C-alpha cells in the first residue's frame, strides 16, 4: 500500500512517479538521480517504482519520450563493420521514428524541448550521455589505427539525424518526407560515415 | 483612415494585418495569397499593408518568424565560387542565428512548427519555395558540366543545417553549443558541399 493510501494499481500512482522522476531528472541530471529519491518524492514505496518501471534507464526514456530499448538499438547500430557504420546508424534512426507512433513521439519530443527548458536539458543529457558517448565508445573500441572522431564531429553526425527527422516529420519538406527510407539512407549515410569514421 | 475607423498608426492595425496574413498564408500558401486579399480580410486599405510591410515577401518572413532579408542572404550565400559553396552556406546560416535574438527567433520558429500544423506548413512552404528552390537555381546556373543535386540531396543539406541549429540553440549539446563558428563551419561544410556540389 502506498504511504498516501492509494491502491498500488491506480493509474495516478504511475503518473505521480513519472512526475517526480521528470522533476528529479531535470533538477539533478541522470547520474545524480536515484530511484529511491524519486520514490520518496512521489510518496510511494521504492518497490512500486520497480513495479511500474524496468529500472532508471527505462524511467528516464519514458520521461524524455524516447522509444523503449533505444539504448540497445544504439549499441547495435554502432557495432559491426566500420565500413557500414553510417548506413546502419541512419537506417536504425529512421526505423525508430518512421511510423505513425514514432512520428508523434518525435513531434512531442521537439514540442517539449522547444517549450520547456527542463525537457531540453533532459534531452541534452540523454543525447550527450547515452547517444554520443556510446557512439564514441563503440568507435574507439573497434578502432584499428584510425583517429577517433572529435566530440564536435559526433555532434554534427547527430545534428544530421535530428535535422533529417525535423524535415521528415515536423516541417514535412516533400523531398525528405516522401522519400523511401533506402533513398534517405543512401543520401545521408555518407555524411554520418565521414563524420564518425572519416 | 481604416474602414473600421481606427487610426492608421495604431499598433493593433499592424497586428490585425499580421493575423490576417498568417491565416491567409496558412490556408492558401505563399503563391496564392495576395496583399489585396490580406487587406480585405484585415478590414484595412491595401495602402496600409504597404505602409507597414515592405511587400508580400517581407510580410511572409514576419509571419513565419524569419529574420528580415533572409532571402538576399540565401542568394549571396549560394552565389560565388562553387568550391566554397558549403563553407559560405554554413557560415551564413550560423551568422543568422548565432546571437541572443537569433537564438530566440529560432526557438520560437521550432516551438510554433512543433505545436501548430499551420506554422509547420508555412515553414515548409518557405523552405521548399525559397531556400531549396533558390539553392537549386543558383547551382544550376553556375553549372559547368556537373550534375545538379537531387531535391533529396538539397533537402539533406537543409537537414544538416536545421539539425546544427537544434543541437546548438535548442538541445544545447555542449560540443555543438560551445564550439566556435569557424570550427562548426569546418566540420559541417564538407557535408553541405558534397550534397549540393558533389
Amino acid at each position: 500500500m502506498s504511504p498516501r493510501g492509494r491502491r498500488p494499481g491506480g493509474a495516478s500512482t504511475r503518473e505521480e512517479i513519472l512526475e517526480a522522476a521528470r522533476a528529479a531528472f531535470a533538477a539533478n541530471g541522470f547520474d545524480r538521480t536515484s530511484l529511491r529519491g524519486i520514490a520518496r518524492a512521489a510518496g510511494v514505496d521504492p518497490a512500486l517504482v520497480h513495479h511500474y518501471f524496468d529500472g532508471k534507464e527505462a524511467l528516464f526514456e519514458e520521461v524524455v519520450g524516447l522509444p523503449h530499448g533505444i539504448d540497445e538499438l544504439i549499441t547495435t547500430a554502432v557495432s559491426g563493420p566500420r565500413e557500414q557504420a553510417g548506413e546502419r546508424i541512419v537506417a536504425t534512426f529512421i526505423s525508430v521514428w518512421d511510423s505513425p507512433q514514432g512520428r508523434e513521439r518525435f513531434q512531442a519530443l521537439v514540442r517539449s524541448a522547444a517549450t520547456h527548458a527542463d525537457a531540453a536539458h533532459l534531452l541534452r543529457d540523454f543525447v550527450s550521455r547515452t547517444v554520443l558517448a556510446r557512439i564514441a565508445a563503440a568507435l574507439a573500441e573497434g578502432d584499428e589505427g584510425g583517429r577517433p572522431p572529435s566530440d564536435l564531429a559526433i555532434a554534427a553526425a547527430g545534428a544530421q539525424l535530428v535535422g533529417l527527422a525535423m524535415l521528415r516529420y515536423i516541417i514535412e519538406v516533400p523531398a525528405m518526407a516522401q522519400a523511401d527510407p533506402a533513398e534517405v539512407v543512401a543520401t545521408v549515410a555518407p555524411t554520418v560515415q565521414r563524420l564518425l569514421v572519416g
Side-chain angles (χ1 to χ4, degrees), chain A:
Chain A
M1 207 155 73
S2 91
R4 296 199 196 160
R6 253 182 278 90
R7 281 199 327 239
S12 66
T13 305
R14 188 175 191 282
E15 279 308 307
E16 291 203 13
I17 294 170
L18 270 178
E19 208 38 69
R22 191 171 289 121
F25 284 130
N28 309 316
F30 182 87
D31 290 328
R32 282 174 297 131
T33 295
S34 70
L35 289 184
R36 185 162 291 275
I38 290 170
R40 202 180 312 119
V44 302
D45 193 275
L48 258 187
V49 179
H50 287 283
H51 169 72
Y52 285 113
F53 300 98
D54 191 15
K56 189 164 87 162
E57 196 76 53
L59 185 49
F60 182 77
E61 286 170 9
E62 177 120 1
V63 163
V64 181
L66 296 160
H68 287 298
I70 195 163
D71 221 23
E72 290 76 54
L73 272 176
I74 296 167
T75 307
T76 309
V78 292
S79 313
R82 292 165 70 83
E83 295 72 35
Q84 287 94 40
E87 275 174 41
R88 280 197 312 278
I89 290 170
V90 179
T92 303
F93 183 82
I94 294 178
S95 76
V96 166
W97 307 109
D98 228 14
S99 69
Q101 300 93 314
R103 174 183 302 255
E104 270 175 33
R105 228 182 242 275
F106 186 78
Q107 288 165 344
L109 257 183
V110 172
R111 192 161 45 236
S112 59
T115 48
H116 303 294
D118 277 2
H121 292 169
L122 284 177
L123 196 54
R124 173 174 65 213
D125 209 31
F126 171 76
V127 170
S128 304
R129 201 186 54 79
T130 306
V131 186
L132 304 187
R134 207 157 288 238
I135 289 175
L139 292 174
E141 203 173 286
D143 202 20
E144 292 133 5
R147 251 200 316 181
S150 68
D151 285 352
L152 179 57
I154 299 177
Q160 173 70 83
L161 297 175
V162 169
L164 183 171
M166 288 295 295
L167 266 68
R168 194 166 168 90
Y169 310 125
I170 306 263
I171 314 178
E172 299 185 36
V173 170
M176 184 60 83
Q178 291 159 17
D180 252 28
E183 285 181 277
V184 179
V185 171
T187 306
V188 170
T191 298
V192 175
Q193 182 73 19
R194 172 184 70 81
L195 287 165
L196 298 183
V197 182

